[in-house]
Amino acid sequence: MGKIILTGDRPTGRLHVGHYVGSLRNRVLLQNSGKFDKLFFMIADAQALTDNFDHPEKVRENILQVALDYMSCGIDPAKSHMFIQSVVSELTELTFYYMNLVTLARLERNPTVKAEIQLRGFNHSIPMGFLTYPVSQTADITAFMADTVPVGEDQLPMLEQAREIVRRFNELYGETLVEPTALLPDNAACLRLPGTDGKAKMSKSLGNCIYLADEPEDIRTKVMGMFTDPNHLQVSDPGQTEGNPVFMYLDAFCSDEYFAKYLPDYANLDELKAHYRRGGLGDVKVKKFLNNVLQETLEPIRARRKELEKDPGYVMDVLRQGTEVAQAAAAETLAKVKHAMKIDYFA
Ligand code: ATP
Ligand code: MG
């Protein structure tokens, strides 16, 4: 079968630095490692519609934006297939059959879905499509026989659900599907990057993001306005670095070279943190440093994006070609699934 990657993003907005450290940066490394036979990156428009069905124009607009973000971070159409979920109708068909293998109670227990339902204020009028999106995500992963799914921490319950469905399917109908494993970033700070407002997760739906496409001035304003330790009122006060978003971003983005370049009084992040904890180090100084680090990280991404933005037709062509490859792969799996389920009547 080989090593296969499937992962994706919802086209509910442009991608942000949480996506970058949580998943995108890793995907590019995996793509260039040469260790994988096939890589599929899905723009999950059907899933985005489960909570944006009343705003189809928003989902449509963001397809191109997400593709631009992918390619400007280094996802290379010569090595990876980028595709649009809804065009691959086999995925919907697989979802329908997998629905039989999961109970309502099991779906309602999913902690990520629970949190998202609260966030979206669905309360007791939860759209069925939204509640069942983990099943559709199982279809997305299994359709490509993916064994590796690089994601942020919030996706672990989805992967657990997918593994259960795969085991159930294979048990009932014979060994057909591949059990996927989540691949988390190895840097703990990247598992779930908080928002600039200090909320637990940077998320398109919360409006607390630094976007990959942000202009230098936007980045600076957002960084300088970031939430820090609320008890660190005077420069001389001892400060908390744990749970402090500014330091969490530094954990995620910073390496020692940046100190030599922008803050040579310190050799590394440990020294900077120690000073902050002792007291005598102001937030403004740390934020200015973080701004430098982010500007340097995002500058080449933004430059590539500006180039690609000049030719949206090319980007859509890349998606069309990727989608064709994805469709063929999903059709093969669907045929195997139907055969296993004994519903391949005219085969
Ligand atoms: P939405 O608010 O529409 O759900 P989102 O910002 O959560 O958008 P998704 O498209 O749901 O983004 O997530 C895509 C991928 O990025 C997933 O693998 C997810 O785990 C990862 N991810 C999203 N936000 C973060 C974050 N703040 N830190 C680390 N990883 C993240
Ligand atoms: Mg999300």
Side-chain angles (χ1 to χ4, degrees), residues 7-13 15-24 27 47 51-52 116 119-120 150-155 185 189-195 200-206 209:
T7 185
D9 302 273
R10 296 151 39 91
T12 48
L15 299 186
H16 51 65
V17 295
H19 297 117
Y20 183 70
V21 294
S23 171
L24 266 176
R27 292 183 205 178
Q47 187 187 117
D51 58 331
N52 289 279
E116 289 175 340
L119 194 75
R120 286 158 179 76
V151 282
E153 193 183 37
D154 63 315
Q155 292 301 306
C190 300
L191 292 173
R192 189 183 295 246
L193 199 74
K201 182 174 172 284
M202 180 178 288
S203 166
K204 294 178 224 115
S205 309
L206 293 176
C209 307

Side-chain angles (χ1 to χ4, degrees), residues 85-94 327 334:
Q85 181 186 27
S86 67
V87 184
V88 183
S89 51
E90 285 80 359
L91 299 175
T92 323
E93 221 174 319
L94 286 172
Q327 205 266 327
L334 181 62

Side-chain angles (χ1 to χ4, degrees), residues 228-249:
T228 63
D229 173 5
N231 299 317
H232 186 244
L233 299 173
Q234 316 258 357
V235 172
S236 55
D237 289 341
Q240 283 247 16
T241 53
E242 205 128 308
N244 180 332
V246 175
F247 281 95
M248 292 164 91
Y249 283 29

